[in-house]
Amino acid sequence: MIEVSSLTKRYGSVLAVDDLSFRAEPGRVTGFLGPNGAGKTTTLRALVALLHPTSGDTRILGRHYPELEDPIRTVGAILEANAFHPGRTGRNHLRTIASAGGIGDARVDQALELVDLTAAANRRVKGYSLGMKQRLSLAGALLGDPQVLVLDEPANGLDPQGVRWLRDLLRALAVEGRTVLVSSHVLTEMAQLADDVVIIAKGRLMTQAPMADVLAGGGRGTRVRSPESDRLVAALVQAGIQARQLDDGALTADAEPARIGELAAAERIVLHELVAQSESLEDVFLELTEGASTPS
Amino acid sequence: MRILASELVKLRTIRTTYVLLLGSVLLSGGVAAGLVGSGSVDRKDEDPALALGQGASFGTIFVAVIGILIVTNEYRHGTIMSTFLTEPRRVRILVTKLAAAAIVGLAFAVTALGVAAAVALPWLAARDEALRLDGQALEAVGRVLLVFVLTAVFGAALGAIVQSQVGAIVGYFIWILVVESLITVVSGLLLTDLDEPDPVSKFLPGSSLGGIIGGEGSEFVLNGGGAAVLALGYAIALSALGALAITRRDP
């Protein structure tokens, strides 16, 4: 269980995180989403006491991170994809962390095996690909067999097989009852991974909900095309249905296809296309963060 | 103790440690050979063991660097974050790093002395000027150990204050080689004649380290004991500043 309560972090005049509150529950993967610069990394660093919040509170299993008795056996974290001494081997990198947590070399080898780095274990990290570095970071986070995982963009640099592998691994860890909080700006990854989503933009909470609700609650619309577009819009508006003209000449209307079809039949309007639309996570995301983010 | 073990693993698993150790060994051995070969050290010397120890202490420049690296390597490569995850109480991390620096300083001192002795002792014996391993020699050994340990601690504390690797290393050498000399010259010009010892410079941090192995005979540094106390004071003050910096400034 992870709790963030009214977290605020100000850097000079920039409000990186603004009164943010959310929870991540055990046994579930919580996706932490937001555009670049939304404050995801700042929030995750505050969780593990790597930065001093301006105000607010973060707790893991009911305690502040520095109060945890055996922090790396309780929380596994990735905060930076490339945090290694380049001249150290992958195995030795893990040994530096393991020895600090009183974890033996046998577990180091297990973790290497788990992320499929056994063959590269004795090579220096500077020769690793981005994906290998990402997997090494993950091995570091898993060393202490922690109950809680805090992962900042763990899928960055992974190839499609790697992303699928990560998804299966994180799902399996959550099924075992662990709390998994994982940030990403890549939505397609999340749609298939997360049970819950927390979406932030400009440091503020946009929504927190189960993934299924976010996708359903995004509303269903209908894509409809007619040679008599103007008459159709008038009919829809009269029926109290909102409609929007699309670039390709079609409309999207906020109603079920059946209702629109019946309406068009009653008004004797010819339709060329009538398709149910379910919004993707991407649509929901863009809607929720619209105005709060500036495209870069 | 676990985090100390981790610090020692960190040191043992990068090449830089061994490169610096090699540098220290070569320099100490070379200086010892120079001292004996040129006849600067012989039986007539008041304290030949101390002269050899001073030669071995050139290796402290490598120990200063490794002390700095113990802290700044972690900031440079981002590993400071996993270090803070293993022990979120940052002052403990700093104290552990200072202890690791002291241990490395000791190890460098022992190797530097060993090499200097291996070069000088048989050579002097062959010239029939064998060095007596008496109380004076033991004291020289103790002074060398102390100057290596304190230099390493200075380095680690400075690393915690500055955090930037280049900044700390460049800053250290500019201070030792330029700033202290400038202060000496200026205070000499203002306060005394240049050929007399000025009243300020012997209290500077670099001079306090040098005084540990210089001492006694020289008027330009404090005597060994005074210098050691002063250097220890500086080490504590720098460490306190380092603790402040490491807790205040987030990685």
Side-chain angles (χ1 to χ4, degrees), chain B residues 68-216:
Chain B
I68 291 169
L69 293 184
I70 285 176
V71 178
T72 59
N73 248 342
E74 296 234 66
Y75 279 94
R76 178 168 175 209
H77 299 297
T79 51
I80 193 70
M81 286 191 272
S82 43
T83 298
F84 285 161
L85 289 179
T86 60
E87 174 50 88
R89 287 161 293 192
R90 298 183 191 172
V91 172
R92 290 194 182 198
I93 292 290
L94 180 61
V95 170
T96 309
K97 285 186 176 294
L98 295 170
I103 291 170
V104 175
L106 208 55
F108 272 56
V110 169
T111 49
L113 277 172
V115 169
V119 169
L121 297 188
W123 198 339
L124 288 170
R127 287 207 314 230
D128 205 20
E129 295 169 352
L131 198 71
R132 277 206 316 279
L133 295 174
D134 51 9
Q136 215 176 21
L138 271 181
E139 191 194 318
V141 168
R143 289 177 179 219
V144 173
L145 298 183
L146 188 62
V147 77
F148 270 82
V149 167
L150 285 178
T151 306
V153 169
F154 269 46
L158 180 67
I161 296 168
V162 178
Q163 293 173 12
S164 146
Q165 186 150 302
V166 175
I169 292 175
V170 170
Y172 179 82
F173 285 107
I174 286 183
W175 177 268
I176 295 293
L177 302 176
V178 181
V179 178
E180 289 210 3
S181 310
L182 271 178
I183 293 174
T184 306
V185 169
V186 171
S187 80
L189 280 174
L190 294 178
L191 304 172
T192 52
D193 295 327
L194 269 184
D195 49 349
E196 281 176 50
D198 73 279
V200 178
S201 61
K202 59 185 169 189
F203 295 108
L204 296 172
S207 298
S208 74
L209 286 174
I212 294 175
I213 41 161
E216 267 75 24

Side-chain angles (χ1 to χ4, degrees), chain A residues 234-293:
Chain A
L236 289 171
V237 169
Q238 204 167 13
I241 298 167
Q242 286 201 353
R244 196 153 50 89
Q245 190 85 43
L246 297 175
D247 293 342
D248 61 356
L251 302 168
T252 62
D254 290 342
E256 299 285 299
R259 172 121 195 263
I260 293 173
E262 283 160 15
L263 199 67
E267 299 284 334
R268 305 185 65 79
I269 298 170
V270 174
L271 296 184
H272 287 172
E273 190 180 338
L274 185 66
V275 185
Q277 273 184 319
S278 67
E279 270 188 305
S280 66
L281 179 60
E282 190 173 53
D283 298 324
V284 177
F285 179 80
L286 290 175
E287 247 167 54
L288 285 169
T289 58
E290 201 176 354
S293 68

